[in-house]
Amino acid sequence: MDENSQSQTDTRRAKRNNLPIQNNEMGKIPPQAGDLEEAVLGALMLERDAINDIIDILKPPSFYRENHQKIYAAIQELFQNSQPIDILTVTAELRKRGELELVGGAYYISFLTNRVASSANIQFHARIISQKHILRELIRISSTTIREAYEESTDVFNLLDKAEADLFTVAQGNIRKDFSPLSDVIKDSIEAIEAARKNKDGVSGVPTGFTSLDRVTSGWQKSDMVVIAARPGMGKTAFVLSMARNMAVDFNVPVAIFSLEMASVQLVNRLISGETGIKGEKLRKGNLEDHEFTQLHTRIKKLSTAPIYIDDTPSLSVFELRAKARRLKQKHGIQCIIIDYLQLMTAGGDNRTGNREQEISMISRTIKTIAKELEIPILALSQLSRAVETRGGDKKPMLSDLRESGAIEQDADIVSFIYRPEYYDITQDEDGNSTQGVGQIIIAKHRNGALDTVSLKFVKEFAKFENLEMAYGEPGSLDSGGGFDQFQTITMQSRMNDNDNDFFNKEKDDDAPF
């Protein structure tokens, strides 16, 4: 009799005798490896160095039996306190915790050491235990998802986001995020300080390629939300594209760009134009000279292998951003995300409200949460309100100019503004220096550092930012004939350059794509 026939027979017999119907999908024992759990715990108490092989593989919840979880937690405590691990010390630790009788007494601790002769295969056994734990977690997540999916009141996007978040933590091997003792955090902090001390340039985060900016920020730091705001036409996209190129090409840092405004092909054309030194108009029309074709194929090599990932999904929601960011982190190990720009995002799901300010607040909080979850910096571009234009004086932006929501200022770890005085026909600064070709990065909020203003060179012809020391006439600049590939940053061809005749006369409105 095959399996289906046997199942049908059992069902008919159950109905005839008024017995509950047995569901073949229920009543199963969760995945476990009890014998291996006993062997691993016994081996840990036999050899003092065995713990070093599996401490990063197993956590107390990795064990199926509760008494095994308590025994392993006691072993972990001894290891963290640099105490020897054997039958006597483990028994004493469990007695101190008041858990010795709960785990089976001293007899059971002694019994575990008789299960193995050595720790020769302990790492292999530990990985099997970990795999069984992952299977149990998958069953738990799936069961919860199925149960909530049947609920009429469940928001499908929230459920999808929660399920994906749970699966992501399983994939990362961090099944359960617990509190961290101060001693562990201090240890991590000391290691970070020592690593920064060895780094002569003082950059402990993701470098931008702009020397003066990295000097202030020490690079973009993990878990930070960085807001880069400016009025249309100041060069927000050009600035972050320059940084993305520097990170990926010069420092081999994987970067993800979510472009809600420009298509991916347009962004790539900008990158190609900047890398080759060929105007974007020529690339669009294809009217290149022979030497320019050679120049194109020669100088594009480094860019073509750069770890830059572009997503140009329009009206991207925060749910989509989180899902895509997790996949990029897991698959490509991205270390920085750029969003261009924040006001074009949507809340998605049932979080849409008639109040745009509340929606932007929700988006801002979610971006900060993603940065903290993935432990990478997220750079979010933002528009400034028209209040900047109506103000007198030098029209330098302020924190109150952030458009549509004060929550952006609250959530951000760093808020910086892009300011070019010549944009407002201001030819000299307060010290009488010329402002021609000068762009300023004003750091108006810095949660973990100082406030400062960084000056960069802005090259109008190519709509690009670069270090001041790489200005025209300096070694490696275009004016000196040094070649474009010697620049630390790249040329960016803006869409404002589509018509060279009216590039600098373009109306300064909120729809300008620069």
Side-chain angles (χ1 to χ4, degrees), residues 494-512:
S494 170
R495 280 195 290 178
M496 296 178 70
N497 285 346
D498 288 352
N499 189 335
D500 290 337
N501 294 327
D502 63 359
F503 170 67
F504 298 109
N505 296 321
K506 188 173 180 65
E507 181 181 355
K508 303 168 186 175
D509 57 23
D510 283 343
D511 296 324

Side-chain angles (χ1 to χ4, degrees), residues 136-148 167:
R136 293 197 300 272
E137 286 297 293
L138 291 175
I139 292 172
R140 179 186 63 80
I141 294 168
S142 301
S143 299
T144 301
T145 303
I146 291 172
R147 183 176 66 252
E148 293 184 2
L167 290 173

Side-chain angles (χ1 to χ4, degrees), residues 39-41 43-44 50-51 53-54 119-127:
V40 166
L41 293 174
L44 290 175
I51 186 68
D53 295 329
I54 58 96
S119 63
N121 301 315
I122 188 171
Q123 193 173 67
F124 180 74
H125 294 161
R127 295 196 181 279

Side-chain angles (χ1 to χ4, degrees), residues 46 48 109 172 260 271 331 365 386 394 425 431 468 494 497:
L46 283 179
R48 57 180 270 181
I109 303 299
Q172 291 295 313
L260 287 78
L271 289 170
K331 188 174 181 180
R365 286 193 301 270
R386 294 179 184 268
D394 56 14
D425 298 324
D431 297 324
L468 277 177
S494 170
N497 285 346

Side-chain angles (χ1 to χ4, degrees), residues 413-451:
D413 296 280
I414 296 178
V415 177
S416 58
F417 301 116
I418 302 175
Y419 172 69
R420 292 192 294 112
E422 63 178 342
Y423 181 86
Y424 298 110
D425 298 324
I426 300 174
T427 58
Q428 291 183 333
D429 61 17
E430 55 271 16
D431 297 324
N433 300 317
S434 174
T435 61
Q436 184 177 2
V438 176
Q440 295 180 349
I441 308 300
I442 303 172
I443 300 177
K445 177 187 177 182
H446 194 180
R447 184 166 286 161
N448 300 307
L451 307 182

